[in-house]
Amino acid sequence: MRLYLIRHGRTRWNKEEVFRGTADVPLDEMGRREAEKVAEALCGRGIEVVYSSPLSRAKETAEAIAARCGAPLHIMEELRDLDFGEWQGLSRLEVQERYPDLYFLWEREPHRVVFPGGEDLDAVRKRATGALERIKEAHPHQGVALVSHRVVLKVLTCFLLGLDNSHFWHILQDTAAISCFRFDGTKWIVQYLNDTCHLRSLSPEEKADF
């Protein structure tokens, strides 16, 4: 099995550095261009099925990939973004001002943070890895594209690399970036991480990794 992990394209809240979480924020114009670029990049790589978070920014990106690859698209609720609770809809600066101690902890020990009114990384890991296990069982010899969100993909990448959630900030996950893993029957093997070569024709200052 070959697994492609793809982050959705950019949204206005990515550009403005606003915490998105479970808010259904659509792609902006740059995000739609990124979605088309990632779909072009994945065409011809043997993708036979696409899975996506139900949130529109991921679903729009997944629809572009599924259409270009001629693959069916399945929505999985477990692939939704982290619930940031009270942080959702706030800018990075607002969070720093309102929750200085918790934000300090988030930047240094993310695995210890439980977001007020929301989730923690362990909850995301449990549901996302459960979804991945079902996908693996359903497609043991196929190419699979999984489209989700920065937090979900960083946690999944830690899992696939055999790392715990304390390594969350060691993983970079840009918008519309691709990571690839192969399952050899006993273990996951990393092929590449956070590939954004397909986005080179887009203006760098317009892209966002928040």
Side-chain angles (χ1 to χ4, degrees), residues 64-116:
I65 295 168
R68 184 61 69 103
C69 296
L73 171 60
H74 302 285
I75 304 300
M76 294 191 79
E77 179 65 28
E78 297 91 336
L79 300 179
R80 68 188 182 279
D81 204 356
L82 165 74
D83 186 347
F84 280 102
E86 294 175 10
W87 288 23
Q88 193 165 285
L90 299 179
S91 69
R92 190 206 297 258
L93 181 59
E94 288 174 321
V95 167
Q96 290 172 333
E97 292 174 345
R98 297 186 194 184
Y99 305 88
D101 294 339
L102 192 61
Y103 186 81
F104 182 87
L105 186 64
W106 171 239
E107 288 207 315
R108 288 157 181 80
E109 298 182 81
H111 58 294
R112 294 181 54 205
V113 172
V114 179
F115 292 93

Side-chain angles (χ1 to χ4, degrees), residues 157-170:
T157 299
C158 285
F159 168 76
L160 294 170
L161 293 174
L163 304 173
D164 62 36
N165 289 336
S166 68
H167 295 85
F168 180 84
W169 290 119
H170 295 184

Side-chain angles (χ1 to χ4, degrees), residues 21-84:
T22 57
D24 201 7
V25 187
L27 299 178
D28 62 10
E29 179 56 35
M30 171 58 73
R32 288 188 287 274
R33 291 168 62 193
E34 288 181 335
E36 289 301 323
K37 289 294 184 181
V38 75
E40 290 175 12
L42 290 170
C43 183
R45 298 197 195 183
I47 290 175
E48 297 170 80
V49 62
V50 181
Y51 284 86
S52 175
S53 156
L55 298 174
S56 62
R57 56 192 183 271
K59 187 169 176 285
E60 289 179 62
T61 305
E63 287 171 343
I65 295 168
R68 184 61 69 103
C69 296
L73 171 60
H74 302 285
I75 304 300
M76 294 191 79
E77 179 65 28
E78 297 91 336
L79 300 179
R80 68 188 182 279
D81 204 356
L82 165 74
D83 186 347
F84 280 102

Side-chain angles (χ1 to χ4, degrees), residues 7-10 27-41 174-177 195-208:
R7 187 182 176 192
H8 61 77
R10 197 187 77 173
L27 299 178
D28 62 10
E29 179 56 35
M30 171 58 73
R32 288 188 287 274
R33 291 168 62 193
E34 288 181 335
E36 289 301 323
K37 289 294 184 181
V38 75
E40 290 175 12
D174 296 309
T175 55
D195 178 16
T196 58
C197 293
H198 49 284
L199 304 178
R200 286 176 178 168
S201 62
L202 302 180
S203 176
E205 61 273 15
E206 291 185 302
K207 292 183 284 187

